[in-house]
Amino acid sequence: MTDGLATDWLARAAELDAADPLAAFTDRFEESPGLVAYFDGNSLGRPVRGTAAELARFVEQEWGTRLIRGWDQAWMRWPEETGDLVAAAALGAAPGQTVVADSTTVLLYKMLRALADGQVADDPARTQIVLDTDNFPTDRYVAEGVAAERGMELVWIEADPASGVSIEQVAQVVGERTAVVLLSHVAYRSGYLADAPAITQLAHQHGALVLWDLCHSAGSVPMALDEWGVDAAVGCTYKYLNGGPGSPAFAYLASRHHGILQQPIQGWMGRRDPFLMAAGYRPAEGIRSLVSGTPPIVGMVPLRLSLEQLAQAGIEAVRAKSLALTELAWQIVESWSPDLGVDIASPRDHAHRGGHITIRRHDFADVNARLWEQGVIPDFRSPDGLRLGLAPLSTSFSEVVTGLQRVRSHLT
Ligand SMILES: *Cc1c(COP(=O)(O)O)cnc(C)c1O
């Protein structure tokens, strides 16, 4: 619309790029032909440069050469080893409490059942699972299933889809009947960052355990799971952790619960001495007992590469850039005429902002489709949200401006 304004934003972005200590990382991703601006790193991270070569090397030199010996030589320990890499780079958790295995959904089920069963065994009156209406669908569905299976009750917090679950809302429902509180650290729709340490502490004061879904915060927001006293957490690795489509998820279980809480999918790979093929299930020691079947080794190859990159960049620097990126996007959208009818449906204050912001307008489903054809890739969330997920390692400030100028060009 106004060239003057557009030029200002590009100049501002160029300054921000020049001063960005993580700028060099934007070149460390595989080429994506036709890409103009990628605003969906919160849904599917881009492949780190070298991923294709690393996969080829794995096939030729490990799978192809070691063959079945690979299990004994290395792969058997990958769930715990890769879990420790995730814990160190992204979770603020000491080794030995995290595994990589299964999908987020399956791990959610395993962890929620483990926590709920442990609580009911201690105190049969603790039959409630607290969760919120705007949590990611899979979390709600898994909780419905666990409640039905165990005769438990779901207690719903009505979350505002433009913000998220507040500590006051949790305080209203948590009590002596609460077994588990299940919440997302960063809301998938609004990007609201929950106060995980305070909510965890509050739940504990009432004797409840907390299961955090970290899908939208892992690799984006710094965490200190051990220090916060978190009981359990799960998250996916294909969003900000760039593990690739369907890469396996991670689960964290604080060491104080090991050997006490037991997950329900008793498979041979989580058994003590699996190759004895012995009668009866006896859980392996420590975090290994969270594993059920044969670990998805090939799916961990890109993730292990990308975790090296996150560790090099440092999660604090990632967070600082993340806030600067969403702040720039926020200011650009705010500068648009109110007549365009675009609202921002995300938290304004940085203390409650995760890695993405969502803007709303009635026709964003159509706009999103047209943007994808042009290589500008946000995503659409029903009913009217356009999510701008700005992955700090792969996104430049200039890309934010260019992409938003294209969004603006579709609004009349
Ligand atoms: C992406 C996401 C999931 C995905 O679960 P999958 O089993 O990997 O499909 C779950 N929870 C949240 C909050 C998510 O953002």
Side-chain angles (χ1 to χ4, degrees):
M1 197 179 71
T2 45
D3 282 349
L5 270 184
T7 313
D8 285 345
W9 289 121
L10 277 174
R12 171 101 157 264
E15 279 168 28
L16 289 166
D17 281 326
D20 173 13
L22 300 182
F25 285 90
T26 57
D27 291 330
R28 301 199 203 158
F29 291 85
E30 301 272 5
E31 295 295 329
S32 299
L35 182 67
V36 175
Y38 194 54
F39 291 167
D40 218 4
N42 61 324
S43 220
L44 179 65
R46 294 180 55 187
V48 166
R49 190 179 292 280
T51 298
E54 183 58 16
L55 280 164
R57 190 200 62 78
F58 179 85
V59 172
E60 288 159 14
Q61 293 175 30
E62 300 211 32
W63 178 9
T65 304
R66 288 174 155 173
L67 296 169
I68 193 72
R69 294 169 294 189
W71 285 110
D72 286 344
Q73 288 164 357
W75 307 327
M76 207 53 147
R77 292 179 301 280
W78 274 31
E80 298 98 311
E81 227 179 79
T82 314
D84 285 346
L85 296 174
V86 172
L91 307 183
Q97 304 175 97
T98 310
V99 283
V100 171
D102 309 315
S103 65
T104 312
T105 301
V106 170
L107 287 179
L108 259 170
Y109 172 74
K110 292 181 1 178
M111 302 310 288
L112 186 59
R113 267 282 309 260
L115 266 54
D117 289 356
Q119 289 283 68
V120 173
D122 274 356
D123 175 358
R126 286 201 184 270
T127 54
Q128 295 183 340
I129 297 171
V130 168
L131 72 170
D132 75 284
T133 50
D134 202 43
N135 204 344
F136 193 80
T138 221
D139 300 58
R140 291 182 273 118
Y141 306 154
V142 164
E144 284 172 19
V146 168
E149 212 173 39
R150 309 311 274 176
M152 297 180 80
E153 182 194 347
L154 298 180
V155 176
W156 295 95
I157 292 172
E158 285 287 333
D160 177 347
S163 62
V165 178
S166 67
I167 183 146
E168 291 76 18
Q169 286 178 303
V170 180
Q172 276 167 18
V173 292
V174 74
E176 58 193 19
R177 298 204 46 217
T178 313
V180 186
V181 176
L182 163 63
L183 294 173
S184 281
H185 189 203
V186 169
Y188 80 102
R189 203 190 292 273
S190 68
Y192 178 89
L193 174 63
D195 190 343
I199 291 174
T200 301
Q201 199 181 17
L202 175 73
H204 287 171
Q205 282 162 7
H206 292 275
L209 299 179
V210 188
L211 172 55
W212 285 103
D213 183 328
L214 308 177
C215 282
H216 272 93
S217 53
S220 164
V221 178
M223 291 177 234
L225 297 189
D226 290 343
E227 192 186 312
W228 297 348
V230 166
D231 298 290
V234 298
C236 52
T237 64
Y238 50 79
K239 292 174 179 167
Y240 292 104
L241 295 178
N242 307 82
S247 61
F250 64 86
Y252 162 93
L253 182 68
S255 53
R256 64 183 175 279
H257 296 304
H258 294 185
I260 300 167
L261 297 183
Q262 206 179 319
Q263 61 91 0
I265 305 183
Q266 305 184 162
W268 70 308
M269 283 286 167
R271 192 195 187 279
R272 197 165 295 208
D273 303 323
F275 290 101
L276 293 181
M277 311 283 186
Y281 177 77
R282 290 176 55 213
E285 274 180 57
I287 198 69
R288 178 72 187 194
S289 68
L290 294 195
V291 175
S292 296
T294 301
I297 298 301
V298 181
M300 292 187 218
V301 171
L303 172 63
R304 289 162 68 99
L305 193 67
S306 115
L307 287 168
E308 280 174 27
Q309 182 151 285
L310 177 61
Q312 266 176 40
I315 190 70
E316 295 292 342
V318 165
R319 172 65 172 163
K321 182 171 177 187
S322 165
L323 286 171
L325 286 164
T326 51
E327 193 54 37
L328 177 66
W330 191 293
Q331 289 172 12
I332 292 170
V333 173
E334 224 173 20
S335 75
W336 293 345
S337 161
D339 299 342
L340 293 176
V342 177
D343 301 327
I344 305 178
S346 292
R348 182 75 189 90
D349 63 318
H350 288 186
H352 282 298
R353 191 187 301 170
H356 68 273
I357 62 173
T358 294
I359 60 179
R360 277 198 313 221
R361 193 173 117 128
H362 64 91
D363 62 349
F364 271 160
D366 291 343
V367 169
N368 189 60
R370 279 180 276 147
L371 287 167
W372 279 22
E373 284 167 15
Q374 299 181 327
V376 174
I377 312 182
D379 69 16
F380 175 73
R381 280 294 172 268
S382 180
D384 57 2
L386 196 70
R387 275 195 321 183
L388 311 172
L390 310 175
L393 293 181
S394 58
T395 311
S396 70
F397 291 94
S398 305
E399 190 178 344
V400 172
V401 173
T402 306
L404 281 174
Q405 285 176 339
R406 290 291 181 92
V407 175
R408 171 67 189 80
S409 73
H410 290 283
L411 309 179
T412 45

